[in-house]
Amino acid sequence: MDQYILRMENIRKTFAGGKVVANDCINLNILKGEKHAIVGENGAGKSTLMKILNGLYQPTSGKIIFNGKEIIIDGPSIAAELGIGMVYQHFMLVPTLTVAENMILGVEPKKGLLLDLNKARQDVINVSHKYGLDIDPNALVKDLSVGMQQRIEILKILFKGANLLVFDEPTAVLTPQETKELYKIIDNLISEGKTIIFISHKLEEVLAISDNITVIRRGKDVDNFKTSKATKEMIANAMVGRAVLFTTKRPIVKIGKEILTVKNISVKNNFGVMKVENVSFSIREGEVLGLAGVEGSGQTELIEALTGLMKSEKGGEIKLNGNIISNVSRRKLNDAGIAHIPEDRHKRAAISQYNLMENFALGQHATIYSKNKFLINFEKIKNATMKYILKYDVRPIEPELKFGKFSGGNQQKVIVARELEKKNVFIIAAQPTRGVDIGAIESIHKMLLLEKEKGKALLVVSSELSEIMNLSDRIAVMCAGRISGILDRAEATEEKIGILMAGGKINE
Ligand SMILES: Nc1ncnc2c1ncn2[C@@H]1O[C@H](COP(=O)(O)OP(=O)(O)OP(=O)(O)O)[C@@H](O)[C@H]1O
Ligand SMILES: [Mg+2]
């Protein structure tokens, strides 16, 4: 019997009439019962290859052999019938329905003519129990954490009988705790005889959980490793084609006058719950303040208040260069010189249906990119876009391609470029390297530190502690809406930050 559950041979896929070659000639061999990692730079072609496997795209050429037989997968339902299921990075659940209702969308169990929701609930409980998913069938999806929603996606494909499960960057949006739980679930799946393929940019994670690794570069499979024989450096080298620095040297910069002053601010979320309580801090010229904390501790609401998306309650004050900016319009904030790389690029930063140039100009189309008050200067936008595409290594070099058609990491580079290149004195970078490959992490970190060298004030919010440690001069830690401590980089350790994240105190 074939030891491979799946072999993809010489897969080629082009887009835009052949202009974009997403998969050039890729070979992928997956053993039955293994955990196989696919790694590669942003835009290398990983998601495209997996979408071909799931029947969302047809390959331009190449063969797929599944359980020893050559097959054609012309639609996700065919993939599901074969036992192939995919958990996408952007979930496809209906927020206003319960877990059980979401589960049965499209495969409704019937009792006579009626929908059998009781059976659906019982099924959720059974399958959830078998794989340690711990899901409440009656919960509304909109009330669930990202980690929980991901479990429902897993449950959904298990329901449809998946044997080969594909995860596209499953941990990019998870907290460290949720990530650990996902690893456990993956182990349960393996012990039940399933096979797992996962894409990840986190090399520690790839080394910790995979059996074998395939490296894709510019649409080709360039290397394979047995994980037990691989190192982080070896994989990085194969991915990028050069050695990668994992820590960037922080430049020595004179810390100047106070740029941002936050005094006693409190912020309520949309449901009227106080999420930030009486927070004060400041950031100076040439200084990077890192903001750490378990996700949901108030970081998001704090940033939303700083960027004018949420109101700060009475009694608090935010100042930029000495001028009060709390509760002023977004336009005024922009003019005052706040740049913002938001944590959720789809919701806050970009318009997928607009092309790259238009997204570059967003927010500045009426100012520096306007000819007179009424006309947009497309020539100028195009020139600037080309310049930044090259500077920030955005791929492919197609200024007129729709934003949504760029790979995840390249979308992020576009937002970083736009925000850093606009006139600013204070930069908020929230999860600046989420979904970005290791080479690009290195370059985004360098770009941020260059801004520090220019004397900008920076606030870096990240769920990656290594990122915070790498970039910050001081580290503020949030817990339950308050700042539980601010540490100098020199005295900060992961352990101390962990204590503050849990609301503890550091004894000197
Ligand atoms: N529908 C599409 N139309 C045009 N180009 C596309 C389309 N889908 C993907 N591409 C292009 O194909 C290439 C590969 O994209 P893909 O999403 O597979 O990359 P990836 O390896 O998953 O990258 P990332 O790590 O950033 O997610 C990219 O250059 C991308 O812009
Ligand atoms: Mg991808």
Side-chain angles (χ1 to χ4, degrees):
M1 220 175 74
D2 202 343
Q3 59 175 329
Y4 294 107
I5 182 167
L6 171 73
R7 289 149 62 108
M8 297 180 85
E9 289 182 0
N10 302 323
I11 299 291
R12 184 176 169 84
K13 175 70 185 171
T14 62
F15 292 107
K19 262 207 293 191
V20 178
V21 182
N23 290 172
D24 194 345
C25 176
I26 301 192
N27 291 286
L28 180 72
N29 296 310
I30 307 293
L31 292 165
K32 280 191 182 130
E34 74 159 326
K35 289 177 270 184
H36 196 108
I38 301 181
V39 300
E41 287 181 287
N42 297 128
K46 306 175 297 290
S47 296
T48 302
L49 185 70
M50 291 300 105
K51 286 179 185 164
I52 289 174
L53 177 61
N54 202 39
L56 279 175
Y57 293 150
Q58 283 307 304
T60 310
S61 58
K63 272 205 280 194
I64 303 176
I65 295 158
F66 190 69
N67 280 325
K69 265 198 254 123
E70 186 174 343
I71 49 161
I72 289 173
I73 310 176
D74 50 8
S77 58
I78 307 286
E81 269 170 38
L82 288 163
I84 299 169
M86 182 148 167
V87 177
Y88 296 94
Q89 203 180 328
H90 299 283
F91 307 141
M92 303 183 189
L93 301 167
V94 184
T96 48
L97 296 182
T98 67
V99 171
E101 287 161 349
N102 263 283
M103 298 301 311
I104 57 172
L105 276 182
V107 284
E108 290 86 353
K110 295 259 170 73
K111 207 178 189 176
L113 281 175
L114 296 173
L115 210 82
D116 192 353
L117 252 183
N118 277 332
K119 177 170 182 322
R121 284 194 202 102
Q122 197 50 49
D123 285 350
V124 170
I125 293 169
N126 294 347
V127 182
S128 156
H129 201 72
K130 183 164 170 196
Y131 297 99
L133 294 168
D134 194 18
I135 296 174
D136 169 9
N138 299 317
L140 285 174
V141 165
K142 67 177 170 59
D143 296 335
L144 298 176
S145 67
V146 175
M148 264 302 167
Q149 294 188 23
Q150 184 181 59
R151 290 186 196 187
I152 301 169
E153 291 286 358
I154 300 173
L155 198 61
K156 255 169 79 181
I157 60 175
L158 287 171
F159 250 171
K160 293 187 189 153
N163 267 319
L164 172 61
L165 287 86
V166 180
F167 292 84
D168 194 350
E169 296 190 44
T171 61
V173 290
L174 298 185
T175 63
Q177 182 56 33
E178 288 172 330
T179 300
K180 271 194 210 139
E181 288 163 14
L182 176 67
Y183 293 170
K184 257 192 248 147
I185 293 168
I186 287 183
D187 279 338
N188 293 343
L189 291 166
I190 291 289
S191 60
E192 290 289 329
K194 311 280 180 199
T195 305
I196 308 281
I197 302 177
F198 71 97
I199 298 174
S200 176
H201 286 296
K202 301 180 185 174
L203 299 187
E204 282 92 2
E205 163 175 304
V206 166
L207 287 170
I209 65 173
S210 72
D211 299 309
N212 290 291
I213 304 164
T214 296
V215 183
I216 296 181
R217 187 159 89 226
R218 301 195 181 214
K220 293 192 165 68
D221 57 305
V222 291
D223 227 328
N224 289 289
F225 296 102
K226 209 172 163 43
T227 308
S228 55
K229 300 219 167 74
T231 64
K232 200 170 151 184
E233 285 72 23
M234 281 157 69
I235 308 171
N237 233 319
M239 277 174 65
V240 186
R242 63 170 170 88
V244 176
L245 295 175
F246 292 104
T247 51
T248 324
K249 212 167 169 298
R250 260 180 315 137
I252 299 174
V253 178
K254 200 175 142 275
I255 305 291
K257 67 173 198 306
E258 219 164 89
I259 297 278
L260 179 82
T261 318
V262 174
K263 240 195 211 147
N264 306 329
I265 73 158
S266 300
V267 187
K268 280 185 189 156
N269 70 6
N270 294 334
F271 303 105
V273 179
M274 200 64 93
K275 293 295 281 186
V276 175
E277 282 186 70
N278 214 13
V279 160
S280 303
F281 63 91
S282 65
I283 312 178
R284 296 174 169 272
E285 266 175 354
E287 187 182 39
V288 180
L289 181 73
L291 187 63
V294 175
E295 218 149 311
S297 303
Q299 301 93 317
T300 306
E301 290 78 7
L302 176 60
I303 296 173
E304 305 229 307
L306 292 177
T307 51
L309 291 166
M310 274 184 175
K311 223 167 84 220
S312 58
E313 297 300 313
K314 279 201 197 76
E317 196 175 78
I318 307 168
K319 280 186 181 167
L320 192 70
N321 271 334
N323 303 316
I324 295 182
I325 57 156
S326 12
N327 302 329
V328 306
S329 75
R330 293 269 289 157
R331 184 67 164 274
K332 280 216 177 103
L333 284 176
N334 216 356
D335 295 345
I338 296 190
H340 178 208
I341 303 166
E343 57 183 350
D344 186 338
R345 61 179 165 254
H346 291 281
K347 245 199 250 158
R348 297 274 188 241
I351 302 176
S352 293
Q353 300 83 352
Y354 282 16
N355 70 26
L356 185 62
M357 283 164 49
E358 291 159 341
N359 273 287
F360 257 126
L362 269 188
Q364 292 171 284
H365 51 281
T367 52
I368 66 164
Y369 293 124
S370 132
K371 253 189 201 152
N372 43 46
K373 277 210 167 112
F374 306 102
L375 289 175
I376 290 181
N377 189 341
F378 284 106
E379 190 64 28
K380 193 169 174 191
I381 297 179
K382 186 153 190 179
N383 290 338
T385 305
M386 281 311 286
K387 187 168 134 200
Y388 300 141
I389 283 184
L390 298 176
K391 179 168 170 191
Y392 289 82
D393 191 22
V394 176
R395 296 179 213 173
I397 305 176
E398 293 285 348
E400 288 176 39
L401 189 65
K402 293 217 169 33
F403 185 82
K405 301 218 162 147
F406 282 84
S407 75
N410 279 296
Q411 293 179 353
Q412 181 69 0
K413 289 189 217 167
V414 173
I415 304 303
V416 170
R418 182 184 73 206
E419 294 304 310
L420 295 190
E421 293 296 336
K422 75 182 185 201
K423 204 164 149 269
N424 61 46
V425 290
F426 170 47
I427 298 163
I428 301 172
Q431 316 293 352
T433 59
R434 181 172 271 174
V436 161
D437 71 52
I438 41 166
I441 291 177
E442 183 192 352
S443 71
I444 290 176
H445 283 179
K446 275 194 191 148
M447 300 277 180
L448 289 171
L449 290 174
L450 215 62
E451 297 301 313
K452 166 185 163 68
E453 253 185 304
K454 290 187 204 154
K456 311 282 178 66
L458 287 94
L459 177 65
V460 174
V461 189
S462 176
S463 52
E464 303 285 332
L465 222 42
S466 58
E467 178 157 80
I468 297 235
M469 300 282 255
N470 211 336
L471 297 172
S472 312
D473 300 296
R474 289 185 301 140
I475 299 166
V477 185
M478 279 193 91
C479 173
R482 294 173 186 273
I483 290 192
S484 49
I486 299 184
L487 302 167
D488 264 327
R489 174 62 187 88
E491 55 161 347
T493 58
E494 294 210 359
E495 199 194 343
K496 281 187 191 168
I497 296 174
I499 293 171
L500 290 171
M501 276 166 82
K505 285 218 157 43
I506 311 272
N507 302 319
E508 287 311 316

